[in-house]
Amino acid sequence: MMKRLPIIFFAILLSACVHSNAGQTAAEAVPDYAPEPLIISNEHKRAFRLGTNLLVNHHYRKQKLSAIASDVHLDYLQALDPSHIYFLQSDIDEFKHYGDALLQANKGDLSALLAIYQRYSERANALNRWSLERLSRPFDLGGDSTITYPETKAGKKQPWPADVAVAQAEQEKRIEDQLIRLRISGKSEEKALKLLRGRYTGALRRLNQISMNDVFDIYMNVVSNRFDPHSNYLSPRTNEDFNINMRLSLEGIGAILSLEEDRVTIRELVPGGPAYKSGKLSVKDEIIGIAQGHDGEFVDVTGWRLDKVVDLIRGKKGTLVRLLIDPANAAKGVREITLERDEVKLEEQAAQSTIEEVSEDGITRRIGVIKLPSFYMDFEGAQQEKSDYRSTSRDVERLLKEFRNAKVDGVVVDLRGNGGGSLYEAVKTVGLFIDKGPVVIVSDAKGGVRNESDDDAGTAYDGPLAVLIDRYAASASEIFAAAIQDYGRGLIIGSNSFGKGTVQTMVNLNDFVVNNTPNLGAMKFTISMFHRVNGSSTQFRGVSPDILLPALFSADEVGEQAEEYALPWKSIAAAKIKPAGRISDSTLGTLRQLHETRMLGKPELRRYQEYIDKVLEKNRQRTWPLNLETRKNEHADWKKYQDDYEAAQRKAIPSLNADKKTLKEIEERNAVVDDEDEKESFVPDVALFETLHIFFDYLQLLTPQQNAVADAA
C-alpha cells in the first residue's frame, strides 16, 4: 500500500496547533539518556553466517550474497531511516565505501553495520532533542505554508537532507502537521503538546535503550528481505514467544501486527477476535497510542519494538484497552477506539451463512451466501478423532446441505478479508464443489513439484457458484478461488487478490551448533511456491476476477506487488484435470455489460463508485496545508460528505440478511459505548449487493427455460 505521511519515531496523528506559550518549560525537561554500549559478540557472527548460509543454499530464490552485496548497505540505511529524516546527504556519500559490508560481515566483520547505526543514533538523538526544544516555543498555524510527504515506494524516495538546517526545517513542518492533526481529532492544545512531548521523550528513551541484538536484528532482516518479503530473522526473544507476540489470540484483541517503516500496523485480524468483531479496525490501520481501561493515559507507541507494543495490548479477559488509530482509509481521520480483551474461540471463526433474495422483472432468486473468514481446523479434535471436531470443509458441507433443503438457486462464497489458513482445508473445501482432481501444485527450490489433490469422488454441491474476493484474500483463499476458476466451476467476482503464493519454513539456528551455545534465534524463509492447476503461480499476480468491482486499494498499494523484493510470478507445466464446466467468453461479456450498465445507471452504485474514487484521492494526498482553520474546514467538509453518503446508501439499498446481522452487532456495540464519536454507523454492503445482482444475471443466463416458466406463472 502507498505509505501515507511517513515519519519514523513520530506517528502521523490528526495533530494539534499552538499559538500560546503553553509548554515553555519543555526544553528544561529534555532527558539526558546515555546510549547503551554496543558490542558485537561471537554469537552475532555465528548467527549471521548460519542464517545467510540457509538463505543462500535453501531459499526458493537462488541468490548468492555477492549478487546483492554492493547495495545491501543502502537497504540498511533505508531500514534505519525510511522517511529520510535523520541521515544527511554527506552521511550517504561517506557510506558509499561500505558497498562490500555484506561480504565482510559473512567473514565475521560486522563493524560496518555498527558504524552506520552509531551515526544514525547520533543524528536521531540530535533531531529528537531539537524537536523537544522546538515544542517549548509557540507555533503560528495560521499561515499559508504546506507540507508535502513524498512517496515511499522504491525509486520514489525523497532526497536526504542537505544539512542540519534543512533537516530541522522539514522537522518543524512535520511537528506543525502533527499538532494540527491532533487538534482536529479533538485534543486540546495542552493535551496535544503533552502527547507530542511524550512522543519525542519516549523516542529518545527507546533510542538509547537499543542493544547490539536490536541492531543485529535490523541488519539480518535487511539481508533476509532481499530474498523475499516473507523471509526474516527471528531473534532469540522473538523466537521464544513468536506465536503469542504475533497472534494476540490468547486474551488479547485478536490481531496480527507488523512493523512498517517503524509504525505498528494491523497485518491481519483474527476471525472471531475482539478486533474483528468490533468492526472498528481494518488491515493496514496503524496503532499510534495505547491506554488501559476507561481513563488510563495514552502511551505513544510510534517507533516501539513490536513485542513491547504487544505487551501493552495483551491483558486479562474482560479488561479494556483503548487504541489511538491512524486508519488506512485516511478519509476517516485519527480516532480512539475501545476494545474488551477476550479469547478467540474457534466457533467464532467458523463459516456463517445467510439466504438472500434478489428480484428483477417479477423473478425472484434465492441465493445462499457463505461468509468464510479463514480456512480453519481443530487439529487437536481431529487428532483425538472426535466426531464433532470443527473444520472449514465440515462446516461448509453442513451449510451446503442446509441450502439444498432450502432450495436455493445458487451459492456465493465470500472470501473477502480471508488471509488464508490451512492448506489441507482449502483443498478439502474445493473438493466439495468438484468431483476430484488436483487443486494446487507446489514447486520447491530444487525444481520438484507435487500436486495437492481432492481424492474424494463426488460433490457436496454441483449447482451455480460464485466466489467473492478482494485485495485481502490471500494464500489459501487464492488457492480456493483459482481452483474454482480453473475448473470452470464458478464465477469469480471482486478485486484482484493479494498475490501471496509462497510457503515458508522455520529453522532454529541452534540446531546446527553444539550444546550449551547461547540461543542464536531462528530463520524463517521461503522454500516453495503455489501454482494453479493451469501452471500459473498465484504469487505476485494473485487471482484476477471475472467481473471486477471497485476497490479501495490498488495492486501497487496493497499486496505482493507492493513489496520491493517480492518473488516474481512463475509458470510451470499444468496438471491434468477434468474441467467441471466452462463459463464462455460471451457469457462473461454479457455479465460485464450488465454490471457496467448498473454501475452507470443506478444512483446507489454511481454513488458507491464516486465515494471510492474520493477515498482513493484522499488516501493519495501528499500535500497538506499547515493552517489549522483550513484543515478543520476540510475535515468538516469530508465528514459531512461521508455522513451524507452513508445516509443515502442506507435509504437506497434494501438491507440484506447479512447486513441485518451486521447492523445488530453494531447496535449492540453502540449500546455500551458512551462516546458518540466512537459509535459506529451502518453502511450497506454495496459490494455484496452488486455481487448478488451479477449472480442473478448469471442464473438468468443459465436457465432461460426456467425463466419463461416463471414469467408465465
Side-chain angles (χ1 to χ4, degrees), residues 188 269 350 421 527 625 644 679-681:
S188 67
L269 297 176
I527 56 170
D644 291 346
K679 291 186 177 181
E680 296 291 307
S681 60

Side-chain angles (χ1 to χ4, degrees), residues 141-406:
L141 299 181
D144 56 4
S145 61
T146 62
I147 183 171
T148 298
Y149 290 100
E151 294 203 32
T152 58
K153 297 178 184 178
K156 295 186 178 181
K157 308 293 185 184
Q158 74 270 35
W160 302 92
D163 52 38
V164 171
V166 172
Q168 291 175 349
E170 288 301 310
Q171 178 65 1
E172 180 161 14
K173 285 187 174 184
R174 282 187 287 269
I175 294 174
E176 289 176 355
D177 185 54
Q178 292 161 14
L179 288 169
I180 290 173
R181 291 170 179 268
L182 280 169
R183 289 295 298 274
I184 293 174
S185 72
K187 300 293 185 293
S188 67
E189 177 182 314
E190 181 182 3
K191 183 68 173 178
L193 282 169
K194 183 178 180 180
L195 282 170
L196 285 182
R197 285 196 295 270
R199 177 179 306 172
Y200 289 105
T201 301
L204 276 173
R205 180 178 62 252
R206 292 187 298 275
L207 187 64
N208 290 286
Q209 290 173 343
I210 292 291
S211 68
M212 189 62 216
N213 286 337
D214 299 322
V215 178
F216 180 74
D217 287 359
I218 296 169
Y219 191 72
M220 273 297 288
N221 279 295
V222 164
V223 176
S224 303
N225 288 166
R226 282 300 295 257
F227 284 77
D228 88 310
H230 305 290
S231 297
N232 59 284
Y233 170 72
L234 287 83
S235 68
R237 173 172 48 192
T238 305
N239 188 34
E240 289 170 2
D241 204 19
F242 179 74
N243 288 327
I244 295 178
N245 279 354
M246 298 304 288
R247 184 177 288 272
L248 307 179
S249 55
L250 300 176
E251 297 187 347
I253 64 170
I256 299 175
L257 308 178
S258 64
L259 277 179
E260 295 190 11
E261 299 203 350
D262 224 48
R263 296 188 292 277
V264 179
T265 304
I266 303 291
R267 195 178 76 201
E268 184 180 335
L269 297 176
V270 180
Y276 182 93
K277 291 192 293 183
S278 75
K280 300 174 184 177
L281 284 171
S282 300
V283 174
K284 291 291 182 179
D285 284 354
E286 295 169 6
I287 300 175
I288 53 183
I290 301 172
Q292 308 299 327
H294 284 293
D295 52 7
E297 285 286 327
F298 267 101
V299 176
D300 189 290
V301 296
T302 307
W304 277 40
R305 294 182 57 94
L306 194 60
D307 56 341
K308 298 298 184 184
V309 176
V310 171
D311 287 343
L312 285 182
I313 295 177
R314 245 184 352 208
K316 292 184 178 180
K317 176 180 177 180
T319 59
L320 299 180
V321 61
R322 294 177 7 255
L323 306 177
L324 200 58
I325 300 297
D326 189 6
N329 180 355
K332 291 183 177 179
V334 169
R335 55 183 181 159
E336 178 183 324
I337 69 170
T338 302
L339 297 173
E340 181 177 327
R341 298 178 176 101
D342 199 357
E343 295 181 14
V344 180
K345 301 177 178 63
L346 184 60
E347 57 268 24
E348 293 177 330
Q349 302 182 38
Q352 297 181 351
S353 68
T354 60
I355 295 178
E356 309 291 350
E357 291 189 351
V358 181
S359 298
E360 294 285 347
D361 299 326
I363 298 172
T364 298
R365 296 290 196 176
R366 287 164 54 78
I367 301 171
V369 178
I370 297 176
K371 174 64 178 174
L372 201 54
S374 68
F375 287 91
Y376 53 88
M377 182 180 186
D378 179 3
F379 290 101
E380 184 177 345
Q383 289 172 348
Q384 295 175 1
E385 298 184 347
K386 292 183 178 180
S387 60
D388 59 347
Y389 77 87
R390 301 294 295 271
S391 75
T392 302
S393 58
R394 283 177 159 228
D395 288 346
V396 171
E397 186 172 20
R398 172 178 53 81
L399 296 176
L400 291 173
K401 183 177 180 180
E402 293 175 2
F403 285 162
R404 283 200 308 273
N405 293 336

Side-chain angles (χ1 to χ4, degrees), residues 68-80:
I68 60 174
S70 62
D71 57 0
V72 162
H73 77 287
L74 298 177
D75 290 345
Y76 181 47
L77 294 170
Q78 192 67 31
L80 290 171

